[in-house]
Amino acid sequence: MKTFLMTAALLVGLMAAEKPQAPNTLTEKEKKEGWKLLFDGKTTKGWRGAYKDKFPEKGWLVQDGTLTISKSDGSESTNFGDIVTDGEHSDFDLTFEFKLTEGANSGLKYFVVEETPKPAGSAYGLEYQVLDDDKHPDAKKGNNGNRTVGSLYDLIAAKDKTANPIGEWNQARVVSKGKHVEHWLNGKKVVDYERGSEAFRALVAQSKYSAPSYNAHGRFGEAPKGHILLQDHGDRVSFRNMKIKAL
């Protein structure tokens, strides 16, 4: 009987240990390591509209533990507007999950600087592309797939990636330390580069970011710090489990 009770207690303990972590929460280990939530799953605390002092009044929804941008007309940053973090970041480890709808386009930008005058489209910054590669036409634009999901938008194509089907969650990660940056998708590193290197600047020179407007306040993508941005590109996309740790 004693052995049976011990075995039962051990099984209960193992089941508890294997219980999935609730979305938008931090474990005690993560808290000790310095992780912080960028989205608490319930409110828009810590976010505001890009170039604004408050959160958009419509379009962005907090429901069922997700932060979702509503469907509109597919245009860039002209309907409900992009949102940015209150704080700026430089060396960081950022993780988030995203879920696409069919044909959807969005993106997470980093090192975003709100420059004056405000650009016509989205605020400038380096972009982790969030896209339905099969159904959105942007996947076939750019060079060699550098506008597909997980890519450094218009600069470096994500390699050897595995994206989950539309309607399922994907795990994304951006790590920036010094000049070195990595993109990860579903546990696999898919992009690796050095900001400000000759190779990086050569890629910028061949991209849309070579335009003078992108470089009026310093070389594109080389700001020492900046906001994190979620893009309104006129399609319904959901985000959750957004966490960041300073490095």
Side-chain angles (χ1 to χ4, degrees):
M1 185 65 174
K2 183 176 180 180
T3 301
F4 173 78
L5 291 174
M6 291 177 63
T7 302
L10 179 60
L11 287 173
V12 171
L14 288 172
M15 290 175 66
E18 294 174 355
K19 184 179 180 181
Q21 183 178 342
N24 310 308
T25 61
L26 296 173
T27 64
E28 289 303 316
K29 182 174 182 292
E30 287 175 324
K31 292 176 183 178
K32 291 179 181 178
E33 292 174 346
W35 288 93
K36 297 183 182 301
L37 290 176
L38 285 177
F39 171 57
D40 63 14
K42 301 175 183 178
T43 72
T44 59
K45 181 180 179 181
W47 295 85
R48 59 176 174 80
Y51 290 92
K52 298 179 180 179
D53 57 7
K54 61 181 181 179
F55 198 83
E57 295 181 355
K58 59 182 180 178
W60 287 92
L61 309 173
V62 176
Q63 53 186 193
D64 301 324
T66 71
L67 180 57
T68 299
I69 177 61
S70 301
K71 172 70 176 176
S72 52
D73 63 1
S75 58
E76 178 186 341
S77 311
T78 57
N79 292 286
F80 309 119
D82 300 341
I83 58 174
V84 295
T85 54
D86 289 336
E88 295 181 295
H89 305 273
S90 53
D91 291 346
F92 60 85
D93 191 344
L94 165 67
T95 65
F96 64 100
E97 294 181 9
F98 65 89
K99 182 168 63 175
L100 290 157
T101 53
E102 187 172 313
N105 182 6
S106 184
L108 178 140
K109 293 188 178 184
Y110 50 101
F111 289 105
V112 170
V113 179
E114 294 167 301
E115 299 175 348
T116 302
K118 178 185 179 302
S122 183
Y124 298 158
L126 298 162
E127 180 176 352
Y128 184 111
Q129 174 73 312
V130 173
L131 191 79
D132 178 353
D133 289 350
D134 293 331
K135 297 292 181 68
H136 197 284
D138 210 25
K140 295 178 175 61
K141 298 179 181 179
N143 293 308
N144 302 314
N146 64 7
R147 294 189 178 186
T148 59
V149 66
S151 297
L152 176 62
Y153 179 77
D154 211 45
L155 295 173
I156 303 175
K159 299 295 185 182
D160 302 320
K161 67 187 181 187
T162 301
N164 293 329
I166 300 304
E168 295 185 13
W169 288 103
N170 288 275
Q171 297 178 327
R173 182 183 180 198
V174 179
V175 184
S176 175
K177 179 66 174 177
K179 298 298 183 182
H180 186 74
V181 184
E182 299 172 358
H183 286 190
W184 293 67
L185 178 62
N186 294 322
K188 182 183 293 186
K189 183 166 66 174
V190 295
V191 168
D192 192 318
Y193 70 100
E194 304 288 326
R195 289 198 310 137
S197 66
E198 289 186 14
F200 175 81
R201 290 177 178 177
L203 290 170
V204 171
Q206 298 168 13
S207 74
K208 73 174 191 177
Y209 301 124
S210 63
S213 60
Y214 287 101
N215 299 273
H217 300 276
R219 290 181 179 271
F220 173 79
E222 298 184 35
K225 63 180 180 178
H227 301 280
I228 307 297
L229 177 149
L230 295 180
Q231 192 175 45
D232 168 17
H233 211 299
D235 297 312
R236 184 178 178 88
V237 180
S238 297
F239 299 91
R240 71 176 187 184
N241 279 340
M242 303 189 68
K243 308 175 185 181
I244 197 165
K245 177 176 70 171
L247 299 178

